[in-house]
Amino acid sequence: MKIGLFGYGKMGRLIEQLAVERNHQIVAKVDVDTQQLDFQSIDCAIDFSTPDAAFDNIKSCIDHGVPVVSGTTGWLDQYDEAVAHCKQKNGALIYASNFSLGVNLFFELNEKLAKMMAPLENYRVSMEEVHHVHKLDAPSGTAITLAEGIIENSDYNNWTLGKAKETEIAIKVKRENEVPGTHVVTYKSEVDSIEIKHTAHNRKGFALGALIAAEWLVGKTGVFTMRDVLNL
């Protein structure tokens, strides 16, 4: 598979390394200084760019018939527009706030736990996410996905970074050193606490998941998620 990398930071370089190990070829490395790009040479694009660039990258790929896998967070106010454009152009798109296979299993576990906890009114849910100091968005896209999973399966209707109201999920954000990503969901009552946690040891899981998604996406049309890729 011939891959175009949109964004060539730490994630882009790691994806390149793993792609070569999986016998793929990197045919384009796109950043802010890129002037021209041969879309016809690309079998699939993988976007780990910036919140400001992600939507335009996705739109350009779809316009040129290139399937695109996006792991950039912080641009989701334009996600519905990207989905509509993809469907209109009969393109192919996978967006995930986190491509780690373990995190996507964690998403499923989070939703199942939310359903179980929903009738138990004496428990309050909260979340904490910890990432490296270079991360641009807060809370993380992964934390938002976790919160949305709880909201869909309970009486909570929103999340907040501040003091939470009765129907809101409080998310605590920490930025520390080079932490790849830790997410904790806690249900606390007067008598005990229940906690589920995912800790990334490095970025390799994110890069591998994005490559697996790209391998799966080539030859398909439509808008998909990692649930489709993993058949969850």
Side-chain angles (χ1 to χ4, degrees), residues 114-227:
K115 287 180 183 177
M116 295 170 65
M117 299 302 295
L120 305 179
E121 296 180 358
N122 54 323
Y123 284 89
R124 286 283 300 166
V125 68
S126 63
M127 292 172 48
E128 179 178 277
E129 62 101 334
V130 188
H131 281 88
H132 51 84
V133 295
H134 314 290
K135 188 165 180 60
L136 298 177
D137 54 319
S140 66
T142 301
I144 293 173
T145 300
L146 288 166
E148 289 173 344
I150 295 169
I151 290 166
E152 290 171 5
N153 293 282
S154 70
D155 291 331
Y156 291 95
N157 59 24
N158 201 2
W159 57 265
T160 182
L161 291 175
K163 186 176 180 180
K165 299 177 183 177
E166 187 69 23
T167 57
E168 292 180 330
I169 303 165
I171 302 178
K172 184 177 182 180
V173 173
K174 292 182 179 179
R175 295 291 175 261
E176 297 178 358
N177 301 321
E178 298 298 325
V179 175
T182 300
H183 294 84
V184 184
V185 179
T186 302
Y187 289 85
K188 186 176 182 180
S189 75
E190 186 179 282
V191 296
D192 60 11
S193 297
I194 299 171
E195 181 177 285
I196 56 173
K197 178 179 182 180
H198 180 274
T199 302
H201 300 308
N202 52 56
R203 292 184 174 88
K204 188 174 182 179
F206 311 140
L208 178 60
L211 279 170
I212 289 171
E215 292 165 355
W216 182 90
L217 186 62
V218 170
K220 296 180 175 66
T221 57
V223 179
F224 305 98
T225 69
M226 283 299 284
R227 277 182 170 164

